[in-house]
């Protein structure tokens, strides 16, 4: 039952943007500084074959990405793929591994940049500081790296489009420099230079081994295409075209590397390459450029291209790494702070800042860091690639009907090749003595990252409980046509209400017309399905207004002469409200007594004690001063004062009665709505059953709703009570027993709650807000008295019955999970609720409710309230035992197993 939400990112990337981000990431700077090393390892032709072989391996992996990315175009790429296939633990491992790959590249580039600058300006190194692994660290070397690290971080915080513009400019410069070298080699190169350096090795076996050594290095240089799925939510391109751009970027990168290797081999013979390697800078490609054009100036030109390559890789992997961290934070796999988006730029600025900090620190370890980070990042990327390939195969079996805009042919072969090749690369890094085996220092990087991952995994799982490993999918118009239609209709309605010009600016004149007609048709369809016959009866007499409680004596005088005042243990006394009511009664000539034993989640035994007192002392009316618990207790007392036996017999229908003492209710919390209906929720302490006493006789004779009586509530009580009222309204609105009058009332009340409750919680509410909240709460009581409640309340009553938790908090823990499981039963109404809270469609409703809860401090789980896995069987059975009618009143079909699973989802 995965949730869906609307994307919080801006869609800013075009086709060209995603191509240059991926291609620019893959070509980077390595072709400038490492070509000589590749040739010396495998020979010119051997190195070309190595890159071709590595490119073939990556292409098979890329095919799996090409299918999965448009099918799940959510931020995080690998995180989403592996989650859907393997669940939270597999997703954690896969995403944590790819983040190491991204971070390694960022750190790699931070060390590479001053190395390239040194070639351009030999006197650049100034201010010797210290030596690491034989490499001298200079102040100027560090300064350049750190300054650019800060610049790249700033660019990425400023926004994805800004980063894409920078990427485009620099990638064009890189491509231009590379093309110059290729063209120059054609005119100045000599095929004889290839003699003696086509392959490296004494025989075919050793030559092949060296080709393989080159191939094993290539995954690091081809990392970059997978930045596309990381930023998928920000791409404004048809989904199928995203897949094609991803594959094209791989092909272009392979071609670029192969041609650069061949060009260097044509221009420089083996002796020249060896001399260049030993010259100190090791920038063989730059020396080849100088020879090809017979001037050292062209070497500088190519080095500028290398500098741009440093920045493009850095920039791309900053994008990819930060989005991967964002996706993990959204799933509570790492602290949620890394999932925060900048309010203005819509970038995960905390994640960007952390990666930026690491890129500032990396140069402190010197150039040797290049070697260490390359291989550690290679292994991590290969692990992630292998897990994505496995996910590709699993999802073809597990979710065969998943919409796949780009569907790979012969998926079994492609999946097998991707798994075998990526798995082979992982094995080669792990086997001691193999061509690609990691050295101890590199294993230290991998091990340290793994330990940090374990700490996050255990810590976040313990701290966030069932939130850990949750996945909220992003709804996509292209994948979900029904969702897109509803979004368009909602946007069109809003635009039309703002005026014709705004409508045209928002979605276009033709689209507005079509979407409005579709929206009206949906509304008409919903109206047609309203019940043809219904009954509506509400005998309560409500007296509403600020200051009305001071008139209590005059208001209730016709009802009797001796009143039993029912309250909680102390609050009504502390606030002075009890004295105000008592004095008003005395002034009206009404005698009064006090029953102050009511607690939260009132007990049937308390009701029986109060009824005994009412009978023995001859009270002829009951007045409640308090919240829902007090009012429900007063109802039970008034009822049992006129009926014999145990109240539990009446609750379960073993007995019936139609009399009660006159009842006056004065609510002090704007939540329960008990002042406006004829039932009282009571808990049997012997069984834990929390169930309603229902009878027309316990509808209040008078309900005095005075907003000023609510103002002494602590903010926590305001939130819990207000959310209870919210649930009453939205449950009655979506209930199977809903009817036009209850719909109208609920639709009036819900916006009042959404507007006023957060203000009251923050302490910023005015009397108007208290009035609105009080009206809405009373309406909530009215509508559930007629339309009833649904699964959220049905599931909460066992929770507060068992754990004695605050009712509103229990509702907050359950509501998003329940709504997410039931919106399909009435898409129109849940969609309308979602739009009231700023969403678009029914799929958005659960997430918008969760957002509303956050605004009032009720972002809770059942685990937070003391509920555990061991409690679920009892809670499930009790829900169906106590509230079968409420379960039946819920849209859709709900089974015993569904309820148990929803309890688990809310833990």
């Amino acid at each position: 039952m995965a949730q869906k939400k609307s994307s919080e990112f801006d869609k800013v990337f075009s086709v060209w943007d995603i191509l240059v981000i991926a291609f620019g990431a893959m070509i980077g700077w390595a072709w400038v500084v490492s070509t000589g090393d590749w040739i010396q390892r495998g020979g010119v032709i051997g190195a070309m074959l190595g890159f071709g072989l590595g490119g073939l391996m990556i292409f098979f992996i890329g095919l799996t990405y090409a299918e999965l990315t448009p099918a799940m175009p959510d931020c995080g790429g690998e995180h989403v793929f592996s989650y859907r296939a393997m669940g939270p633990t597999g997703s954690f491992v896969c995403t944590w591994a790819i983040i190491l790959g991204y971070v390694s590249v960022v750190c790699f580039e931070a060390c590479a940049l001053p190395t390239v600058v040194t070639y351009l300006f030999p006197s650049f190194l100034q201010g010797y500081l210290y030596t690491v692994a034989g490499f001298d660290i200079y102040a100027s070397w560090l300064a350049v790296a750190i300054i650019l690290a800060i610049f790249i971080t700033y660019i990425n915080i400023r926004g994805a489009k800004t980063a894409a513009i920078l990427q485009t400019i620099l990638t064009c410069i890189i491509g231009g420099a590379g093309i110059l070298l290729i063209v120059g080699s054609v005119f100045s190169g000599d095929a004889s230079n290839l003699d003696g350096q086509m392959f490296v090795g004494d025989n075919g076996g050793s030559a092949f081994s060296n080709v393989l050594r080159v191939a094993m290095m290539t995954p690091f240089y081809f990392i970059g295409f997978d930045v596309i799925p990381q930023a998928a939510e920000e791409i404004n391109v048809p989904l199928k075209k995203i897949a094609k751009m991803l594959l094209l970027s791989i092909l272009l990168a392979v071609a670029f590397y192969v041609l650069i290797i061949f060009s260097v081999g044509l221009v420089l013979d083996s002796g020249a390459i060896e001399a260049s390697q030993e010259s100190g800078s090791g920038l063989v490609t730059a020396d080849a450029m100088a020879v090809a054009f017979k001037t050292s100036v062209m070497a500088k030109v190519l080095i500028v291209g290398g500098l741009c390559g440093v920045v493009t890789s850095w920039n791309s992997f900053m994008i990819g790494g930060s989005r991967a961290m964002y996706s993990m934070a959204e799933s509570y796999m790492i602290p949620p702070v890394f999932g925060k988006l900048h309010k203005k730029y819509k970038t995960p600025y905390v994640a960007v800042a952390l990666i930026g900090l690491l890129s500032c620190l990396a140069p402190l370890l010197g150039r040797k860091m290049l070697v260490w980070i390359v291989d550690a990042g290679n292994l991590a990327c290969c692990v992630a690639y292998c897990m994505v390939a496995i996910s590709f195969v699993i999802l073809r079996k597990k979710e065969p009907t998943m919409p796949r805009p780009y569907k790979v042919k012969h998926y079994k072969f492609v999946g097998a090749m991707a798994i075998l090749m990526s798995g082979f690369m992982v094995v080669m890094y792990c086997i001691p003595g193999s061509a690609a085996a990691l050295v101890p220092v590199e294993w230290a990087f991998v091990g340290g990252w793994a330990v940090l991952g374990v700490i996050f995994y255990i810590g976040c799982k313990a701290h966030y409980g069932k939130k850990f490993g949750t996945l909220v999918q992003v709804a996509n118009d292209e994948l979900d046509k029904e969702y897109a239609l509803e979004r368009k209709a909602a946007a069109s309605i809003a635009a039309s209400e703002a005026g014709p010009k705004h409508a045209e600016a928002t979605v276009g004149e033709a689209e507005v017309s079509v979407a409005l007609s579709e929206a009206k048709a949906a509304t008409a369809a919903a109206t047609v399905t309203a019940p043809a016959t219904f009954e509506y009866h509400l005998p309560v007499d409500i007296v509403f207004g600020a200051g009305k409680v001071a008139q209590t004596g005059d208001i209730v005088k016709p009802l009797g002469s001796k009143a039993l005042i029912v309250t909680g243990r102390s609050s009504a006394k502390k606030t002075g409200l009890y004295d105000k009511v008592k004095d008003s009664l005395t002034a009206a000539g009404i005698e009064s007594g006090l029953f102050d034993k009511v607690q939260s989640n009132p007990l049937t035994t308390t009701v029986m004690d109060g009824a005994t007192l009412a009978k023995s002392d001859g009270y002829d009316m009951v007045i409640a001063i308090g919240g829902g618990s007090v009012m429900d207790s007063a109802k039970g007392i008034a009822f049992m004062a006129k009926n014999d036996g145990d109240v539990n017999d009446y609750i379960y229908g073993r007995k019936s009665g139609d009399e009660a003492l006159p009842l006056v209710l004065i609510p002090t919390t704007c939540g329960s709505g008990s002042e406006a209906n004829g039932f009282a929720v009571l808990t049997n302490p012997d069984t834990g059953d929390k169930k309603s006493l229902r009878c027309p006789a316990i509808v209040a004779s008078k309900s005095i709703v005075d907003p000023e009586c609510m103002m002494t509530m602590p903010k926590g009580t305001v939130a819990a009570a207000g959310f209870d009222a919210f649930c009453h309204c939205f449950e009655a609105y979506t209930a199977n027993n809903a009817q036009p009058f209850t719909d109208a009332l609920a639709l009036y009340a819900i916006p009042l709650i959404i507007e006023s409750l957060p203000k009251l919680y923050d302490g910023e509410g005015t009397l108007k807000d208290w009035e609105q909240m009080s009206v809405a709460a009373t309406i909530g009581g009215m509508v559930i008295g007629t339309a009833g409640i649904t699964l959220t309340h049905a599931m909460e009553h066992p929770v507060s019955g068992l754990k004695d938790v605050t009712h509103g908090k229990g509702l907050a823990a359950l509501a998003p999970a329940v709504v997410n499981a039931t919106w399909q039963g009435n898409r129109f109404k849940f969609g309308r609720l979602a739009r009231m809270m700023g969403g678009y469609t029914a799929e958005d409703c659960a997430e918008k409710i969760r957002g509303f809860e956050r605004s009032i401090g009720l972002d809770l789980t059942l685990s937070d309230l003391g509920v555990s896995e061991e409690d679920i069987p009892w809670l499930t059975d009790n829900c169906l035992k106590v509230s079968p009618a409420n379960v039946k009143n819920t849209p859709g079909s709900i089974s015993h197993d569904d309820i148990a699973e929803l309890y688990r989802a809310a833990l």
Side-chain angles (χ1 to χ4, degrees):
M1 293 180 288
Q3 296 183 25
K4 282 190 176 183
K5 67 171 184 178
S6 296
S7 177
E8 298 180 54
F9 288 96
D10 291 332
K11 287 188 174 294
V12 295
F13 290 142
S14 65
V15 171
W16 178 255
D17 290 332
I18 60 176
L19 182 61
V20 297
I21 286 172
F23 179 64
M26 285 188 280
I27 59 175
W29 67 276
W31 62 283
V32 177
V33 298
S34 298
T35 304
D37 180 60
W38 302 334
I39 292 174
Q40 288 190 326
R41 286 194 183 200
V44 176
I45 304 301
M48 293 170 67
L49 289 174
F51 267 83
L53 180 59
L56 180 63
M57 291 190 288
I58 292 298
F59 190 77
F60 276 110
I61 296 167
L63 282 170
T64 67
Y65 275 83
E67 176 171 298
L68 295 174
T69 300
M72 291 167 278
D74 293 6
C75 178
E78 290 88 349
H79 170 72
V80 183
F81 309 157
S82 54
Y83 183 100
R84 292 278 291 270
M86 304 177 185
T89 300
S91 176
F92 186 99
V93 173
C94 182
T95 316
W96 192 246
I98 202 69
I99 289 174
L100 173 57
Y102 291 145
V103 171
S104 72
V105 175
V106 170
C107 295
F108 197 22
E109 307 300 9
C111 296
L113 180 104
T115 301
V116 180
V117 173
T118 302
Y119 184 92
L120 281 172
F121 308 102
S123 61
F124 161 70
L125 296 177
Q126 300 292 326
Y128 170 78
L129 297 175
Y130 54 89
T131 300
V132 176
F135 183 80
D136 296 335
I137 308 293
Y138 288 85
S140 57
W141 193 87
L142 285 178
V144 169
I146 293 172
I147 289 171
L148 191 60
I150 294 170
F151 172 73
I152 296 294
T153 303
Y154 170 74
I155 288 293
N156 274 272
I157 290 176
R158 281 278 304 192
K161 190 61 179 180
T162 303
I165 292 170
L166 176 66
Q167 189 82 355
T168 296
I169 296 169
L170 298 181
T171 301
C172 288
I173 294 173
I174 301 167
I179 291 170
L180 280 175
L181 173 60
I182 294 167
V183 172
S185 70
V186 170
F187 291 100
S188 301
D190 190 334
S192 64
N193 287 329
L194 299 175
D195 294 341
Q197 62 171 354
M198 294 180 70
F199 293 95
V200 173
D202 297 331
N203 51 55
S206 62
F208 177 75
S209 177
N210 289 323
V211 169
L212 194 59
R213 286 182 64 199
V214 175
M216 291 304 301
M217 296 173 56
T218 58
F220 180 82
Y221 303 113
F222 289 126
I223 296 173
F225 71 88
D226 48 326
V227 173
I228 292 177
Q230 293 296 343
E233 279 184 49
E234 299 164 87
I235 298 174
N236 190 25
V237 172
L239 294 177
K240 190 173 184 178
K241 190 169 286 188
I242 294 176
K244 292 180 179 179
M245 290 300 103
L246 188 151
L247 296 174
L248 178 61
S249 70
I250 296 173
L251 294 174
L252 289 175
V254 173
F256 186 86
Y257 278 119
V258 168
L259 288 172
I260 291 296
I261 293 169
F262 187 67
S263 298
V264 172
L266 273 180
V267 173
L268 301 178
D269 61 22
S270 58
I273 290 175
E274 184 175 355
S276 179
Q277 284 283 81
E278 295 176 355
S279 66
S281 68
L283 301 183
V284 175
T285 312
D287 291 339
M289 186 78 153
V291 171
F293 286 91
K294 299 180 175 57
T295 172
S296 61
V297 173
M298 293 305 293
K300 306 287 186 181
V301 170
L302 189 131
I303 296 302
V304 170
L307 279 170
C308 294
V310 171
V311 179
T312 57
S313 289
W314 200 335
N315 188 47
S316 291
F317 292 109
M318 182 77 79
I319 293 172
S322 61
R323 272 55 174 183
M325 291 185 69
Y326 169 88
S327 67
M328 292 190 78
E330 281 279 279
S331 293
Y332 294 90
M333 292 178 173
I334 59 176
V337 66
F338 294 110
K340 285 188 174 182
L341 293 183
H342 195 285
K343 291 182 179 179
K344 180 178 180 181
Y345 303 124
K346 300 296 183 183
T347 53
Y349 67 98
V350 179
V352 170
L354 176 62
I355 297 175
L357 176 62
L358 293 175
S359 66
C360 289
L361 297 176
L364 297 174
L365 295 178
R367 186 177 175 185
K368 193 66 177 178
M369 171 71 78
L370 294 175
V371 178
W372 297 341
I373 290 294
V374 164
D375 289 337
N378 266 347
L379 172 60
C381 286
C382 290
V383 169
Y385 290 162
C386 188
M387 294 186 74
V388 169
I390 294 171
S391 298
F392 167 80
V393 175
I394 291 174
L395 288 172
R396 274 296 187 101
K397 295 287 187 180
K398 185 179 179 181
E399 299 190 44
T401 60
M402 176 194 293
R404 291 173 168 86
Y406 184 89
K407 196 166 186 176
V408 173
K409 295 180 180 180
H410 311 296
Y411 84 91
K412 291 182 180 179
F413 174 74
V414 170
M417 292 297 294
I419 293 170
L420 287 173
M421 290 180 173
S422 57
F424 176 73
M425 289 188 284
V426 172
V427 170
M428 291 295 288
Y429 282 113
C430 297
I431 295 178
S434 73
L438 299 189
V439 300
V441 176
E442 294 159 352
W443 276 117
F445 275 103
V446 174
W449 188 256
V451 169
L452 183 61
V454 170
I455 292 171
F456 273 125
Y457 183 92
I458 295 174
C460 291
K461 193 168 188 179
H463 184 71
Y464 299 112
K466 286 293 182 178
K467 290 182 181 178
F468 178 88
T470 55
L471 178 67
V472 180
Q473 295 174 244
V474 174
N476 183 277
D477 291 356
E478 192 174 338
L479 291 176
D480 189 340
K481 301 298 184 184
E482 188 176 7
Y483 181 90
L485 177 62
E486 196 170 349
R487 278 173 57 92
K488 187 188 291 185
S492 300
I493 291 171
S496 67
E497 290 173 351
K501 289 184 179 179
H502 186 270
E504 291 174 13
T506 304
V507 288
E509 185 175 355
E511 288 186 343
V512 169
S513 177
V514 172
L516 277 173
S517 64
E518 291 166 343
K520 290 174 182 177
T523 304
T527 304
V528 170
T529 60
T533 61
F534 57 88
E535 296 181 4
Y536 187 81
H537 178 63
L538 192 66
V540 66
D541 185 353
I542 294 173
V543 179
F544 184 92
K548 286 292 183 181
V549 75
Q551 304 170 24
T552 300
D554 293 335
I555 292 171
V556 308
K557 192 171 183 179
L559 301 178
S561 59
K562 187 175 183 180
L564 176 62
I565 301 176
V566 178
T567 70
R569 297 188 185 278
S570 62
S571 61
K573 298 174 189 174
K574 288 181 179 178
T575 61
L577 187 56
Y578 167 71
D579 289 334
K580 185 180 290 188
V581 170
K582 182 181 179 182
D583 291 346
S584 179
L585 293 173
T586 301
I590 301 171
E591 184 182 348
S592 65
L594 177 65
F595 180 79
D596 59 358
K597 298 180 181 179
V598 178
Q599 66 274 60
S600 60
N601 296 313
L603 304 176
T604 55
T605 50
T606 303
V607 166
M608 295 307 298
D609 290 343
T612 299
L613 176 62
K615 289 178 180 179
S616 63
D617 288 6
Y619 290 101
D620 57 8
M621 78 170 94
V622 176
I623 299 177
I625 307 173
S629 297
V630 171
M631 290 188 284
D632 285 357
S633 295
K635 289 178 176 180
I637 291 170
F639 181 82
M640 291 310 299
K642 298 289 287 185
N643 294 279
D644 296 326
D646 191 310
V647 67
N648 289 293
D649 292 330
Y650 296 92
I651 289 173
Y652 279 98
R654 294 187 288 267
K655 288 186 176 182
S656 62
D658 56 5
E659 288 188 89
L661 291 177
L663 185 64
V664 179
L665 302 179
I666 304 174
T668 60
T669 61
C670 39
S672 77
S674 188
E675 70 273 13
N677 57 48
F679 51 85
V681 181
L682 304 170
T683 300
N684 185 330
D686 296 327
T687 64
D689 292 353
K690 185 173 181 180
K691 191 170 174 63
S692 298
L693 170 67
R694 295 172 178 265
C695 178
I698 59 173
V699 175
S701 302
K702 295 282 185 180
S703 283
I704 303 172
V705 183
D706 185 340
E708 291 182 347
C709 294
M710 321 289 178
M711 295 182 178
T712 58
M713 283 189 291
K715 63 185 297 184
T717 304
V718 171
F723 192 75
D724 187 18
F726 174 77
C727 288
H728 288 161
C729 293
F730 95 71
E731 288 181 57
Y733 177 59
T734 58
N736 292 333
N737 290 334
Q739 44 132 299
F741 290 151
T742 57
D743 282 359
L745 286 167
L747 290 174
Y748 178 83
I750 291 171
L752 299 182
I753 298 171
I754 293 170
E755 177 186 355
S756 296
L757 185 55
K759 296 179 186 177
L760 298 178
Y761 176 76
D762 291 334
E764 300 172 354
T766 64
L767 177 59
K768 177 186 176 183
D769 293 304
W770 287 109
E771 289 174 342
Q772 290 191 165
M773 195 62 228
S774 300
V775 167
T778 300
I779 289 174
M782 292 177 177
V783 293
I784 64 173
T786 301
I789 49 178
T790 58
L791 189 59
T792 304
H793 266 76
M795 290 180 64
E796 197 290 322
H797 284 162
V799 172
S800 50
L802 180 65
K803 299 294 183 179
D804 195 31
V805 302
T806 302
H807 177 53
K809 291 183 177 180
L811 292 171
L814 287 161
V818 172
V819 169
N820 187 56
T822 56
W823 63 261
Q824 295 92 339
N826 196 327
R827 185 182 186 97
F828 175 80
K829 284 192 171 182
F830 279 104
R832 191 165 186 177
L833 284 174
R835 290 189 285 277
M836 287 182 183
M837 294 180 281
Y840 286 102
T841 72
E843 289 93 332
D844 298 334
C845 194
E847 183 61 24
K848 290 303 177 182
I849 289 175
R850 179 65 77 190
F852 180 57
E853 290 176 353
R854 292 190 191 102
S855 73
I856 55 174
L858 289 180
D859 187 11
L860 300 167
T861 65
L862 289 182
S863 297
D864 297 332
L865 303 178
V867 177
S868 65
E869 176 76 27
E870 291 73 24
D871 297 320
I872 290 177
W874 185 91
L875 293 172
T876 303
D877 292 341
N878 192 260
C879 174
L880 289 169
K881 169 190 172 184
V882 172
S883 304
N886 299 331
V887 175
K888 187 177 180 181
N889 198 27
T890 304
S893 178
I894 308 295
S895 69
H896 179 281
D897 290 344
D898 291 333
I899 294 172
E901 186 58 34
L902 285 173
Y903 276 125
R904 290 189 184 92
L907 280 175

